[in-house]
């Protein structure tokens, strides 16, 4: 069965420090990988995606993510955290096949950035 | 402005009283989907539609109905709401074409409470 795991419910980091939000997945084949962010009382917003090619992808607001095929991971990173980065982050995968265009989401990781 | 619009944003209702949550997108997207978000569970797919008059069940369809009579609209219907349907609901849309990676665009969410 396809699944996405975000092992940390919450990540705390000081402003200016690097941050990592972890994601591992279990999907057959080579999926599309996504990160979304949810600010309070808002819908999810697309941050970045991995399709193919370079394992390090860059996205919005200075975020990047590193794809590791052997570890089936897609960790979200940012070199220097901002207080405004505090939000709920979701990792998601979508099969490249025709299985209903289904996107599977992780449970989410809440990021707190302290000033 | 490209957007997905959901209404109502907040609703308190009673068990058994039929309700409809509307969703409309202005991006000419083929794919639309409904999710519910519950703490610790991430987003779970209720129903999805890959085009007009084409709908299918997601992971948690029980107690819900949908229709897709027009490309832009995808209403979620709760024929007889129960307290376990108290949740935060999101509508999302995406392009659905060959070669398209299909990142999702989300509405702002509809918080439903069933008493």
């Amino acid at each position: 069965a396809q699944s996405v795991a975000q092992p940390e419910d919450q990540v705390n980091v000081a402003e200016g420090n690097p941050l990592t939000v972890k994601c591992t997945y279990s999907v057959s084949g080579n999926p599309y990988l996504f990160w979304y962010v949810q600010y309070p009382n808002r819908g999810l917003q697309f941050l970045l995606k991995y399709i193919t090619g370079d394992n390090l992808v860059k996205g919005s607001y200075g975020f990047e993510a590193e794809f590791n095929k052997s570890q089936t991971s897609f960790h979200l990173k940012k070199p220097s955290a901002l207080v405004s980065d505090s939000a709920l982050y979701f990792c998601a995968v979508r099969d490249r096949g025709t299985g209903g265009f289904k996107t599977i989401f992780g449970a989410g990781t809440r990021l707190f950035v302290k000033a | 402005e490209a957007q997905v619009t959901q209404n109502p944003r907040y609703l308190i209702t009673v068990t058994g009283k039929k309700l409809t949550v509307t969703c409309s997108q202005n991006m000419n997207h083929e794919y639309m989907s409904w999710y519910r978000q519950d703490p610790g569970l991430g987003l779970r797919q209720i129903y999805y539609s890959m085009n007009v008059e084409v709908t299918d069940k997601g992971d948690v369809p029980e107690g819900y109905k949908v229709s897709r009579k027009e490309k832009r609209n995808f209403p979620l219907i709760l024929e007889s709401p129960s307290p376990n349907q108290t949740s935060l609901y999101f509508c999302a849309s995406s392009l659905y074409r060959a070669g398209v990676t299909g990142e999702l665009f989300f509405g702002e969410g509809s918080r439903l409470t069933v008493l």
Side-chain angles (χ1 to χ4, degrees):
Chain A
Q2 300 178 339
S3 63
V4 178
Q6 293 181 241
E8 302 152 316
D9 291 335
Q10 184 171 309
V11 170
N12 298 309
V13 64
E15 189 174 34
N17 283 0
L19 70 87
T20 299
V21 182
K22 296 179 181 177
C23 172
T24 58
Y25 63 92
S26 174
V27 177
S28 59
N30 297 312
Y32 297 122
L33 301 164
F34 305 87
W35 276 100
Y36 291 86
V37 60
Q38 184 181 25
Y39 298 101
N41 300 314
R42 304 295 301 276
L44 280 72
Q45 298 175 32
F46 167 73
L47 263 184
L48 52 76
K49 64 186 176 186
Y50 174 81
I51 306 170
T52 188
D54 195 345
N55 289 342
L56 186 66
V57 295
K58 295 187 183 299
S60 307
Y61 313 121
F63 283 93
E64 55 192 27
E66 186 170 13
F67 170 64
N68 187 315
K69 186 174 183 178
S70 62
Q71 297 185 3
T72 60
S73 66
F74 189 54
H75 300 331
L76 182 69
K77 299 172 186 282
K78 188 174 183 182
S80 179
L82 299 172
V83 172
S84 57
D85 293 330
S86 298
L88 186 57
Y89 290 82
F90 289 96
C91 181
V93 300
R94 186 169 75 75
D95 198 320
R96 291 175 188 253
T98 57
F101 213 63
K102 185 179 180 66
T103 299
I104 300 169
F105 288 85
T109 298
R110 191 165 298 279
L111 173 67
F112 285 105
V113 181
K114 187 175 181 180
Chain B
E1 179 188 356
Q3 59 186 5
V4 178
T5 304
Q6 297 178 226
N7 280 296
R9 293 287 314 279
Y10 301 91
L11 180 63
I12 300 174
T13 190
V14 296
T15 299
K17 186 176 182 182
K18 180 180 178 179
L19 67 92
T20 299
V21 186
T22 63
C23 175
S24 180
Q25 50 93 4
N26 62 0
M27 295 168 279
N28 202 34
H29 285 169
E30 296 84 5
Y31 182 86
M32 298 186 74
S33 182
W34 277 102
Y35 294 87
R36 59 178 289 173
Q37 182 181 12
D38 301 290
L41 297 177
L43 273 74
R44 294 179 293 167
Q45 190 178 47
I46 303 170
Y47 269 95
Y48 64 93
S49 169
M50 289 189 279
N51 216 322
V52 176
E53 303 291 4
V54 180
T55 63
D56 208 347
K57 297 177 180 178
D59 297 316
V60 288
E62 295 78 19
Y64 305 95
K65 285 176 57 178
V66 294
S67 67
R68 187 92 181 272
K69 294 184 171 56
E70 304 168 284
K71 195 172 186 179
R72 63 183 293 125
N73 296 324
F74 190 46
L76 179 70
I77 303 158
L78 286 73
E79 293 272 2
S80 183
S82 62
N84 65 10
Q85 293 179 296
T86 292
S87 187
L88 179 58
Y89 291 86
F90 288 102
C91 180
S93 72
S94 171
L95 288 171
Y96 179 63
R97 298 171 197 166
V100 169
T101 52
E103 54 266 30
L104 293 164
F105 292 78
F106 284 84
E108 295 284 272
S110 296
R111 186 167 293 281
L112 171 65
T113 301
V114 183
L115 302 176

